[in-house]
Amino acid sequence: MSVSIDITGLAPERIDVVPSPLAELGTALHALSEPAHHPGLQGWTTSVSTRLDACLADRLCEADFLWRTTFSDVFMPFAGIPGKRTLPGATLAEDLDLLDELSDEQFVDAALEFTCQLSYGSPGHGRLSDPHTRDRALDLAAARGAHQVRFTKRLLEDPPTVRAWFRKLMEDCDEAFFADVWARLRHQLTADARHKKELLRRKGTREGLSSVSTSVSVDESGSLVTVDKVFDARTASARDGLTLMPTSLGWPHLVVLHRHGWQPVIHYPVASPGLASPPSVEQLTQRMAALAHPVRMRLCRHLARGPYTTSELADSHGMTAPEISRHVSVLKKAGLITTRRRGRYVQHQLDLSIVSRLGGDFIEGVLR
């Protein structure tokens, strides 16, 4: 499963790598609302939450679905500016000015992303102009809670007022805690962006894009970017440009903006020492499927205690050597066991380091 971005004919110089203060504020709000997703930020989230003004905290709760369960495209408004290619602003105020340039229809669609997953990557009827789509948005909001319904009604009835409310909310967050965060992170993100841009210039599109994350790959022809995700989607051509946007607070999330009519964006976490490269969704699926078979589970219990040959396993489990070999092959292909030769004997053993990370890898995979 993956999101694909068509970059046929896209020159390396048309790939921009730029941090965004508004996007980083969005990831900060997400970390505050879902601290379990970001154990490495526990100290920071606790510190900010305990000294956050109660009134501001209540206002954040009114629209926390914009950053809690999905990362709303309202945090990347530059990608939706009609008629021209635009980059993120250098300051939060500049990013918010770009948000003001979006039409009411664009803002509403992005803000109500939680109600439009099925049509996200394709053109659809606007919620302000189409009564059926408007009613559908209210129905879906009702299934998600009373405050989503209240926010959706306010937004559909009076977009300008809600837009002004949202801008003021972001400005107040900046004053309360984000300005200090951005002052600390801006240099790190700028340095990472400069490094990625240099890789693109020296090594070319394929190697430069692949350096962004182990979850990002480019095919041999250099025409298709594939981002490992837990769903399938494909963008239209990105020949006009692609934006890469580093985040420090966003790990492990890797966000791909592929909204119809918007510039494609890959919002990637910067590399952090000590964090192991996560397996792909396909690798996780393969490992979990391998362990789902009762015979292979019994073999794992055996191989966790030490190395054994195929014949020894066959004798212990009352099976033939070819039957054991087939199960061992599945476990080995999934990367769960290691094999080594001792003279004329071949021994298999469970890779405990891989197995011990399965739970964390699964959580990271579904959060990515």
Coordinates of all heavy atoms in Angstrom, one line a residue, residues 193-265:
A193 N 16.9 20.9 5.2 CA 16.4 21.3 3.8 C 17.6 21.6 2.9 O 17.6 21.2 1.7 CB 15.5 22.5 3.9
R194 N 18.6 22.3 3.4 CA 19.7 22.7 2.6 C 20.5 21.4 2.1 O 20.9 21.3 1.0 CB 20.6 23.6 3.3 CG 21.8 24.2 2.5 CD 22.7 25.1 3.4 NE 22.0 26.1 4.1 CZ 21.8 26.1 5.4 NH1 22.4 25.2 6.1 NH2 21.2 27.1 6.0
H195 N 20.6 20.5 3.1 CA 21.3 19.2 2.8 C 20.6 18.4 1.7 O 21.2 17.9 0.8 CB 21.5 18.4 4.1 CG 22.0 17.0 3.9 ND1 23.3 16.8 3.4 CD2 21.4 15.8 4.0 CE1 23.5 15.5 3.3 NE2 22.4 14.9 3.7
K196 N 19.3 18.3 1.9 CA 18.5 17.5 0.9 C 18.5 18.2 -0.5 O 18.6 17.5 -1.5 CB 17.0 17.4 1.3 CG 16.8 16.7 2.6 CD 17.1 15.2 2.5 CE 16.7 14.4 3.7 NZ 17.2 14.8 4.9
K197 N 18.5 19.5 -0.5 CA 18.6 20.2 -1.8 C 19.9 20.0 -2.5 O 20.0 19.8 -3.7 CB 18.3 21.7 -1.6 CG 18.1 22.5 -2.8 CD 16.8 22.2 -3.5 CE 16.5 23.0 -4.7 NZ 15.3 22.6 -5.4
E198 N 21.0 19.9 -1.7 CA 22.3 19.7 -2.2 C 22.4 18.3 -2.8 O 23.0 18.0 -3.8 CB 23.4 19.9 -1.2 CG 24.8 19.7 -1.6 CD 25.2 20.7 -2.7 OE1 24.5 21.7 -2.9 OE2 26.3 20.5 -3.3
L199 N 21.8 17.3 -2.1 CA 21.8 15.9 -2.6 C 21.0 15.9 -3.9 O 21.4 15.2 -4.9 CB 21.1 15.0 -1.6 CG 21.9 14.5 -0.4 CD1 21.1 13.7 0.5 CD2 23.1 13.7 -1.0
L200 N 19.9 16.6 -4.0 CA 19.2 16.6 -5.3 C 20.0 17.2 -6.4 O 20.0 16.7 -7.5 CB 17.9 17.4 -5.1 CG 16.8 16.8 -4.3 CD1 15.7 17.8 -3.9 CD2 16.1 15.7 -5.2
R201 N 20.8 18.2 -6.1 CA 21.6 18.8 -7.1 C 22.8 17.9 -7.6 O 23.0 17.8 -8.7 CB 22.2 20.2 -6.6 CG 22.9 21.0 -7.6 CD 23.6 22.2 -7.0 NE 24.6 21.9 -6.1 CZ 25.9 21.6 -6.5 NH1 26.2 21.6 -7.8 NH2 26.8 21.2 -5.6
R202 N 23.4 17.3 -6.6 CA 24.6 16.5 -6.9 C 24.3 15.1 -7.4 O 24.9 14.6 -8.3 CB 25.5 16.4 -5.7 CG 26.2 17.8 -5.3 CD 27.3 17.6 -4.3 NE 26.7 17.2 -3.0 CZ 26.8 15.9 -2.5 NH1 27.4 15.0 -3.2 NH2 26.3 15.7 -1.3
K203 N 23.3 14.5 -6.7 CA 23.0 13.0 -7.0 C 21.8 12.8 -7.9 O 21.6 11.7 -8.4 CB 22.7 12.3 -5.6 CG 23.9 12.4 -4.6 CD 25.1 11.6 -5.1 CE 26.1 11.5 -4.0 NZ 27.3 10.7 -4.4
G204 N 21.0 13.8 -8.1 CA 19.8 13.7 -9.0 C 18.6 13.4 -8.2 O 18.6 13.1 -7.0
T205 N 17.5 13.3 -9.0 CA 16.1 13.2 -8.4 C 16.0 11.9 -7.6 O 15.5 11.9 -6.5 CB 15.1 13.2 -9.5 OG1 15.1 14.5 -10.1 CG2 13.7 13.1 -8.9
R206 N 16.4 10.8 -8.2 CA 16.1 9.5 -7.6 C 16.8 9.3 -6.2 O 16.2 9.0 -5.2 CB 16.6 8.4 -8.5 CG 16.2 7.0 -8.0 CD 16.6 5.9 -9.0 NE 16.1 4.6 -8.6 CZ 16.6 3.5 -9.1 NH1 17.5 3.5 -10.0 NH2 16.1 2.3 -8.6
E207 N 18.1 9.6 -6.2 CA 18.8 9.5 -4.9 C 18.4 10.6 -3.9 O 18.3 10.3 -2.7 CB 20.3 9.5 -5.2 CG 21.1 9.1 -4.0 CD 22.6 8.7 -4.3 OE1 22.8 8.4 -5.5 OE2 23.4 8.7 -3.4
G208 N 18.2 11.8 -4.4 CA 17.8 12.9 -3.5 C 16.5 12.6 -2.8 O 16.4 12.8 -1.6
L209 N 15.5 12.1 -3.6 CA 14.2 11.9 -3.0 C 14.2 10.7 -2.0 O 13.6 10.7 -1.0 CB 13.1 11.6 -4.0 CG 12.7 12.9 -4.8 CD1 11.7 12.5 -5.9 CD2 12.0 13.9 -3.9
S210 N 15.0 9.6 -2.4 CA 15.1 8.5 -1.5 C 15.8 8.8 -0.2 O 15.6 8.1 0.8 CB 15.9 7.4 -2.3 OG 15.2 7.0 -3.4
S211 N 16.6 9.9 -0.2 CA 17.3 10.2 1.1 C 16.3 10.8 2.1 O 16.6 10.9 3.3 CB 18.4 11.2 0.8 OG 17.8 12.5 0.4
V212 N 15.1 11.2 1.7 CA 14.1 11.8 2.6 C 13.7 10.9 3.7 O 13.6 11.3 4.8 CB 12.9 12.3 1.8 CG1 11.8 12.7 2.7 CG2 13.3 13.6 0.9
S213 N 13.5 9.6 3.3 CA 13.0 8.7 4.3 C 13.1 7.3 3.7 O 13.1 7.1 2.4 CB 11.5 8.9 4.6 OG 10.9 7.8 5.3
T214 N 13.3 6.3 4.5 CA 13.3 4.9 4.0 C 11.9 4.5 3.5 O 11.8 3.5 2.8 CB 13.7 3.9 5.2 OG1 12.8 4.1 6.3 CG2 15.1 4.1 5.6
S215 N 10.9 5.3 3.8 CA 9.6 5.0 3.3 C 9.3 5.6 1.9 O 8.2 5.5 1.3 CB 8.5 5.5 4.3 OG 8.6 4.9 5.5
V216 N 10.3 6.4 1.4 CA 10.2 7.0 0.1 C 11.1 6.4 -0.9 O 12.3 6.2 -0.6 CB 10.5 8.5 0.2 CG1 10.4 9.2 -1.2 CG2 9.5 9.2 1.2
S217 N 10.6 6.0 -2.1 CA 11.4 5.4 -3.1 C 11.0 5.9 -4.5 O 9.9 6.4 -4.7 CB 11.3 3.8 -3.1 OG 10.0 3.4 -3.4
V218 N 11.9 5.8 -5.4 CA 11.7 6.3 -6.8 C 12.0 5.1 -7.7 O 13.0 4.4 -7.6 CB 12.6 7.5 -7.2 CG1 12.3 8.0 -8.6 CG2 12.4 8.6 -6.1
D219 N 11.2 4.9 -8.7 CA 11.4 3.7 -9.7 C 12.6 4.0 -10.5 O 13.2 5.1 -10.6 CB 10.1 3.5 -10.5 CG 9.8 4.6 -11.5 OD1 10.5 5.6 -11.4 OD2 8.9 4.4 -12.3
E220 N 13.1 3.0 -11.2 CA 14.3 3.0 -12.0 C 14.2 4.1 -13.1 O 15.2 4.7 -13.5 CB 14.6 1.7 -12.6 CG 15.0 0.6 -11.6 CD 15.4 -0.7 -12.3 OE1 15.5 -0.7 -13.5 OE2 15.7 -1.6 -11.6
S221 N 13.0 4.3 -13.6 CA 12.9 5.3 -14.7 C 12.9 6.8 -14.1 O 13.0 7.7 -14.9 CB 11.6 5.1 -15.5 OG 10.5 5.4 -14.6
G222 N 12.8 6.9 -12.8 CA 12.8 8.2 -12.2 C 11.5 9.0 -12.4 O 11.5 10.2 -12.3
S223 N 10.4 8.3 -12.7 CA 9.2 9.0 -13.1 C 8.1 8.8 -12.0 O 7.1 9.4 -12.1 CB 8.7 8.5 -14.4 OG 8.4 7.1 -14.4
L224 N 8.3 7.9 -11.0 CA 7.2 7.7 -10.0 C 7.8 7.6 -8.6 O 8.7 6.7 -8.4 CB 6.5 6.4 -10.4 CG 5.2 6.1 -9.6 CD1 4.1 7.2 -10.0 CD2 4.7 4.7 -9.8
V225 N 7.3 8.5 -7.8 CA 7.7 8.4 -6.3 C 6.7 7.6 -5.6 O 5.5 7.8 -5.8 CB 7.8 9.8 -5.7 CG1 8.2 9.8 -4.3 CG2 8.7 10.7 -6.5
T226 N 7.1 6.6 -4.8 CA 6.2 5.8 -4.0 C 6.5 6.0 -2.5 O 7.7 5.9 -2.1 CB 6.4 4.3 -4.3 OG1 6.2 4.1 -5.7 CG2 5.5 3.5 -3.5
V227 N 5.5 6.4 -1.8 CA 5.6 6.6 -0.3 C 4.8 5.6 0.4 O 3.6 5.4 0.2 CB 5.0 8.0 0.0 CG1 5.3 8.3 1.5 CG2 5.7 9.1 -0.8
D228 N 5.5 4.8 1.2 CA 4.9 3.7 1.9 C 3.9 4.2 2.9 O 4.2 4.9 3.9 CB 6.0 2.9 2.6 CG 5.6 1.6 3.2 OD1 4.8 0.9 2.6 OD2 6.0 1.3 4.4
K229 N 2.6 3.8 2.7 CA 1.5 4.2 3.6 C 0.6 3.0 3.8 O 0.8 2.0 3.3 CB 0.8 5.4 3.0 CG 1.6 6.7 2.8 CD 2.0 7.3 4.1 CE 0.9 8.1 4.8 NZ 1.3 8.8 6.0
V230 N -0.4 3.2 4.7 CA -1.4 2.1 4.9 C -2.6 2.3 4.1 O -3.7 1.7 4.4 CB -1.8 2.1 6.4 CG1 -0.6 1.7 7.3 CG2 -2.4 3.4 6.9
F231 N -2.5 3.0 3.0 CA -3.6 3.1 2.0 C -3.0 3.4 0.7 O -1.8 3.7 0.5 CB -4.6 4.3 2.4 CG -3.9 5.6 2.5 CD1 -3.8 6.4 1.3 CD2 -3.4 6.1 3.7 CE1 -3.2 7.7 1.4 CE2 -2.8 7.3 3.8 CZ -2.7 8.1 2.6
D232 N -3.8 3.2 -0.4 CA -3.4 3.4 -1.7 C -4.0 4.7 -2.3 O -5.2 4.9 -2.2 CB -3.8 2.2 -2.6 CG -3.0 0.9 -2.3 OD1 -1.7 1.1 -2.3 OD2 -3.6 -0.1 -2.1
A233 N -3.1 5.5 -3.0 CA -3.6 6.7 -3.6 C -2.6 7.1 -4.7 O -1.4 6.6 -4.6 CB -3.8 7.8 -2.6
R234 N -3.0 7.9 -5.6 CA -2.1 8.4 -6.7 C -2.4 9.8 -7.0 O -3.6 10.2 -7.2 CB -2.2 7.5 -7.9 CG -1.2 7.8 -9.0 CD -1.4 6.9 -10.2 NE -0.4 7.3 -11.3 CZ 0.6 6.6 -11.6 NH1 0.9 5.5 -10.8 NH2 1.5 6.9 -12.5
T235 N -1.4 10.6 -7.2 CA -1.6 12.0 -7.6 C -1.6 12.1 -9.1 O -1.1 11.2 -9.8 CB -0.5 12.9 -7.0 OG1 0.8 12.6 -7.7 CG2 -0.2 12.7 -5.5
A236 N -2.1 13.3 -9.5 CA -1.9 13.6 -10.9 C -0.4 14.0 -11.1 O 0.4 14.0 -10.2 CB -2.8 14.8 -11.3
S237 N -0.1 14.4 -12.3 CA 1.3 14.8 -12.6 C 1.8 15.9 -11.8 O 1.1 16.9 -11.5 CB 1.5 15.1 -14.1 OG 2.8 15.6 -14.4
A238 N 3.1 15.8 -11.3 CA 3.7 16.8 -10.5 C 4.8 17.5 -11.3 O 5.8 18.0 -10.7 CB 4.3 16.2 -9.2
R239 N 4.6 17.6 -12.6 CA 5.7 18.1 -13.5 C 5.9 19.6 -13.2 O 7.0 20.1 -13.5 CB 5.4 17.9 -14.9 CG 4.1 18.6 -15.5 CD 4.1 18.6 -17.0 NE 4.2 17.2 -17.5 CZ 3.1 16.5 -17.8 NH1 1.9 17.0 -17.7 NH2 3.2 15.2 -18.2
D240 N 4.9 20.3 -12.6 CA 5.1 21.7 -12.3 C 5.9 21.9 -11.0 O 6.4 23.0 -10.7 CB 3.7 22.4 -12.1 CG 3.0 22.5 -13.4 OD1 3.7 22.5 -14.5 OD2 1.8 22.5 -13.4
G241 N 6.1 20.9 -10.2 CA 6.9 21.0 -9.0 C 6.4 20.1 -7.9 O 5.3 19.6 -7.9
L242 N 7.4 19.8 -7.0 CA 7.1 19.0 -5.8 C 7.8 19.7 -4.6 O 8.9 20.2 -4.7 CB 7.7 17.6 -6.0 CG 7.7 16.6 -4.8 CD1 6.3 16.3 -4.4 CD2 8.5 15.4 -5.2
T243 N 7.1 19.7 -3.5 CA 7.6 20.3 -2.3 C 7.9 19.3 -1.2 O 7.0 18.5 -0.9 CB 6.7 21.4 -1.7 OG1 6.5 22.4 -2.8 CG2 7.3 22.1 -0.5
L244 N 9.1 19.3 -0.7 CA 9.5 18.5 0.4 C 9.6 19.4 1.7 O 10.2 20.4 1.6 CB 10.8 17.8 0.2 CG 11.0 17.0 -1.1 CD1 12.4 16.4 -1.2 CD2 9.9 15.9 -1.2
M245 N 9.0 18.9 2.8 CA 8.9 19.8 3.9 C 9.3 19.0 5.2 O 8.7 18.1 5.6 CB 7.5 20.3 4.1 CG 7.3 21.6 4.8 SD 5.8 22.5 4.4 CE 4.6 21.2 4.7
P246 N 10.5 19.4 5.8 CA 11.0 18.7 6.9 C 10.2 19.1 8.2 O 9.8 20.2 8.3 CB 12.5 19.1 7.0 CG 12.5 20.5 6.4 CD 11.4 20.5 5.3
T247 N 10.1 18.1 9.1 CA 9.5 18.4 10.4 C 10.3 17.8 11.5 O 10.8 16.7 11.3 CB 8.0 17.9 10.5 OG1 7.6 18.0 11.9 CG2 7.9 16.4 10.1
S248 N 10.5 18.4 12.6 CA 11.2 17.9 13.7 C 10.3 17.2 14.7 O 10.6 16.2 15.4 CB 12.0 19.0 14.4 OG 12.7 18.5 15.5
L249 N 9.1 17.8 14.9 CA 8.1 17.3 15.9 C 7.3 16.2 15.4 O 6.5 15.6 16.1 CB 7.2 18.5 16.4 CG 7.9 19.6 17.0 CD1 6.9 20.7 17.4 CD2 8.7 19.2 18.3
G250 N 7.3 15.9 14.0 CA 6.4 15.1 13.4 C 6.6 13.6 13.5 O 5.8 12.8 13.2
W251 N 7.9 13.2 13.8 CA 8.2 11.7 13.8 C 7.2 11.0 14.8 O 6.9 11.4 15.8 CB 9.6 11.5 14.3 CG 10.1 10.1 14.2 CD1 10.7 9.5 13.1 CD2 9.9 9.0 15.2 NE1 10.9 8.2 13.4 CE2 10.4 7.9 14.6 CE3 9.3 9.0 16.4 CZ2 10.4 6.6 15.3 CZ3 9.3 7.8 17.1 CH2 9.8 6.6 16.5
P252 N 6.6 9.8 14.3 CA 7.0 9.0 13.1 C 6.1 9.3 11.9 O 6.2 8.5 10.9 CB 6.7 7.6 13.6 CG 5.5 7.7 14.5 CD 5.7 9.1 15.2
H253 N 5.3 10.3 11.9 CA 4.4 10.6 10.9 C 5.0 11.1 9.6 O 5.9 12.0 9.6 CB 3.3 11.6 11.3 CG 2.6 11.2 12.6 ND1 1.9 10.0 12.7 CD2 2.5 11.8 13.8 CE1 1.5 9.9 14.0 NE2 1.8 11.0 14.6
L254 N 4.7 10.5 8.5 CA 5.1 10.9 7.2 C 3.9 11.3 6.4 O 3.1 10.4 6.0 CB 5.9 9.8 6.5 CG 6.4 10.2 5.1 CD1 7.5 11.2 5.1 CD2 7.0 8.9 4.4
V255 N 3.6 12.6 6.1 CA 2.4 13.0 5.5 C 2.6 13.3 4.1 O 3.6 13.9 3.7 CB 1.9 14.3 6.3 CG1 0.6 14.8 5.6 CG2 1.6 14.0 7.8
V256 N 1.7 12.9 3.2 CA 1.7 13.2 1.8 C 0.4 13.9 1.4 O -0.7 13.4 1.6 CB 1.8 11.9 1.0 CG1 1.9 12.2 -0.5 CG2 3.0 11.0 1.4
L257 N 0.6 15.2 1.0 CA -0.5 15.9 0.5 C -0.7 15.6 -1.0 O 0.1 15.8 -1.8 CB -0.3 17.4 0.7 CG -1.5 18.4 0.4 CD1 -1.2 19.8 1.1 CD2 -1.8 18.6 -1.0
H258 N -1.9 15.0 -1.3 CA -2.2 14.6 -2.7 C -3.6 15.1 -3.0 O -4.3 14.4 -3.8 CB -2.0 13.1 -2.9 CG -2.8 12.2 -2.0 ND1 -4.0 11.7 -2.3 CD2 -2.5 11.9 -0.7 CE1 -4.4 10.9 -1.3 NE2 -3.6 11.0 -0.3
R259 N -4.1 16.2 -2.4 CA -5.4 16.7 -2.7 C -5.5 17.1 -4.2 O -4.6 17.7 -4.7 CB -5.7 17.9 -1.8 CG -7.1 18.5 -2.0 CD -7.3 19.7 -1.1 NE -7.4 19.2 0.3 CZ -8.5 18.7 0.8 NH1 -9.6 18.6 0.1 NH2 -8.5 18.4 2.1
H260 N -6.6 16.8 -4.8 CA -6.9 17.1 -6.2 C -6.8 18.6 -6.4 O -7.4 19.4 -5.7 CB -8.2 16.6 -6.6 CG -8.5 17.0 -8.1 ND1 -8.1 16.2 -9.1 CD2 -9.3 18.0 -8.6 CE1 -8.5 16.7 -10.2 NE2 -9.2 17.8 -10.0
G261 N -5.9 19.0 -7.4 CA -5.8 20.4 -7.7 C -4.8 21.2 -6.9 O -4.5 22.4 -7.1
W262 N -4.2 20.5 -5.9 CA -3.2 21.2 -5.0 C -1.8 20.6 -5.4 O -1.7 19.5 -6.0 CB -3.4 20.9 -3.5 CG -4.6 21.6 -3.0 CD1 -5.8 21.8 -3.5 CD2 -4.6 22.2 -1.7 NE1 -6.6 22.4 -2.7 CE2 -6.0 22.7 -1.5 CE3 -3.8 22.3 -0.6 CZ2 -6.4 23.4 -0.4 CZ3 -4.2 23.0 0.5 CH2 -5.5 23.5 0.7
Q263 N -0.7 21.4 -5.1 CA 0.6 20.9 -5.3 C 0.9 19.7 -4.4 O 0.5 19.7 -3.2 CB 1.6 22.0 -5.0 CG 1.5 23.3 -5.8 CD 2.4 24.4 -5.2 OE1 3.4 24.1 -4.7 NE2 1.9 25.6 -5.2
P264 N 1.6 18.7 -4.9 CA 1.9 17.5 -4.0 C 3.0 17.9 -3.1 O 3.9 18.7 -3.4 CB 2.4 16.4 -5.0 CG 2.8 17.2 -6.2 CD 1.9 18.4 -6.3
V265 N 2.9 17.5 -1.8 CA 3.8 17.8 -0.8 C 4.2 16.5 0.0 O 3.3 15.7 0.3 CB 3.3 18.8 0.2 CG1 4.3 19.1 1.3 CG2 2.9 20.1 -0.5

